[in-house]
């Protein structure tokens, strides 16, 4: 799954690898050079997933552990805005569904599953465009930030505004 990040040099696409592992527990195993904030976001996303109705209803390998690896991760990619990407990636792995590499996500996840406004939308969406992403999911509260984007970028991407992780699940998998 692709997250979108921003740093002092601009935006970037952050590839996130997620893998289920044979196990009788529901353990989360994060790997990569991760800072405290991104680890908090990972653990929050996993706990929201475990407590969701979607977890109980749509996952057939509920008791497997999940390894989340962020290759190429460095400290500037540390922040809560990857929460939506983590949640959707975990859900996809647990449902054994694929997410297109042409989709990217940004948004801070709350305990109730709401998606909060994040910074750097212009840089993140510009990076998505440069990297060949076709669809981006961003917080609905970031709508005003789209005014700062050029028409060429806006017309080349499907920009989906979401309030809750369930908006993404309904859009991608119709659940």
């Amino acid at each position: 799954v692709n997250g979108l990040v921003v740093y002092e040099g601009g935006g970037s696409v952050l590839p996130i690898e997620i893998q289920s592992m044979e196990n009788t527990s529901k353990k989360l195993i994060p790997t990569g050079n991760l800072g405290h904030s991104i680890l908090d976001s990972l653990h929050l996303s996993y706990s929201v997933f475990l407590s969701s109705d979607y977890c109980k209803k749509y996952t057939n390998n509920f008791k497997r552990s999940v390894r989340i690896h962020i290759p190429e991760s460095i400290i500037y990619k540390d922040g809560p805005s990857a929460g939506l990407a983590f949640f959707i990636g975990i859900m996809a792995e647990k449902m054994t569904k694929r997410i297109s590499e042409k989709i990217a996500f940004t948004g801070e996840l709350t305990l109730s599953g709401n998606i909060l406004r994040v910074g750097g939308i212009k840089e993140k969406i510009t990076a998505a465009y440069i990297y060949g992403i076709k669809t981006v999911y961003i917080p609905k509260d970031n709508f005003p930030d789209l005014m700062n984007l050029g028409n060429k970028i806006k017309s080349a991407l499907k920009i989906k505004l979401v309030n809750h992780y369930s908006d993404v699940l309904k859009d991608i998998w119709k659940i």
Side-chain angles (χ1 to χ4, degrees), residues 6 15 20 22 26 28 33 37 40-41 45 50 54 73 79 93 117-118 122 124 131-132 134-135 154 158 165-166:
V6 67
S20 288
E22 281 299 325
K26 297 178 270 188
L28 175 66
N33 181 18
S37 183
D40 286 347
S41 185
S45 297
L50 289 175
Y54 292 98
S73 179
E93 181 63 22
R117 180 182 177 93
V118 295
K122 179 180 179 182
K124 290 174 180 181
Y131 280 81
K134 299 296 180 195
T135 304
K154 285 193 280 192
K158 289 182 187 170
Y165 68 75
S166 62

Side-chain angles (χ1 to χ4, degrees), residues 110-138:
T110 69
L111 281 172
S112 60
N114 293 321
I115 308 302
L116 300 179
R117 180 182 177 93
V118 295
I121 288 295
K122 179 180 179 182
E123 294 83 357
K124 290 174 180 181
I125 292 179
T126 301
Y129 171 77
I130 291 168
Y131 280 81
I133 300 294
K134 299 296 180 195
T135 304
V136 294
Y137 289 86
I138 68 170

Side-chain angles (χ1 to χ4, degrees), residues 37-38 40-52 54 68 79-91 105-118 124 138-139 142 162-169:
S37 183
I38 205 160
D40 286 347
S41 185
L42 266 168
H43 287 287
L44 176 92
S45 297
Y46 194 56
S47 93
V48 170
F49 164 75
L50 289 175
S51 65
S52 74
Y54 292 98
I68 298 182
S81 69
L84 178 59
F86 291 143
F87 181 89
I88 297 301
I90 292 166
M91 189 74 192
F105 307 87
T106 189
E108 182 176 354
L109 186 67
T110 69
L111 281 172
S112 60
N114 293 321
I115 308 302
L116 300 179
R117 180 182 177 93
V118 295
K124 290 174 180 181
I138 68 170
N142 281 106
V162 295
N163 283 318
H164 193 268
Y165 68 75
S166 62
D167 298 339
V168 179
L169 299 177

Side-chain angles (χ1 to χ4, degrees), residues 18-27 46 49-50 54-66 89-97:
I18 301 174
Q19 176 184 45
S20 288
M21 299 170 26
E22 281 299 325
N23 201 316
T24 57
S25 72
K26 297 178 270 188
K27 191 171 152 185
Y46 194 56
F49 164 75
L50 289 175
Y54 292 98
C55 176
K56 296 169 187 87
K57 187 172 181 180
Y58 292 103
T59 61
N60 57 4
N61 54 354
F62 180 69
K63 296 207 183 237
R64 295 170 60 113
S65 289
V66 175
I90 292 166
M91 189 74 192
E93 181 63 22
K94 290 290 193 171
M95 290 173 54
T96 62
K97 301 259 187 197

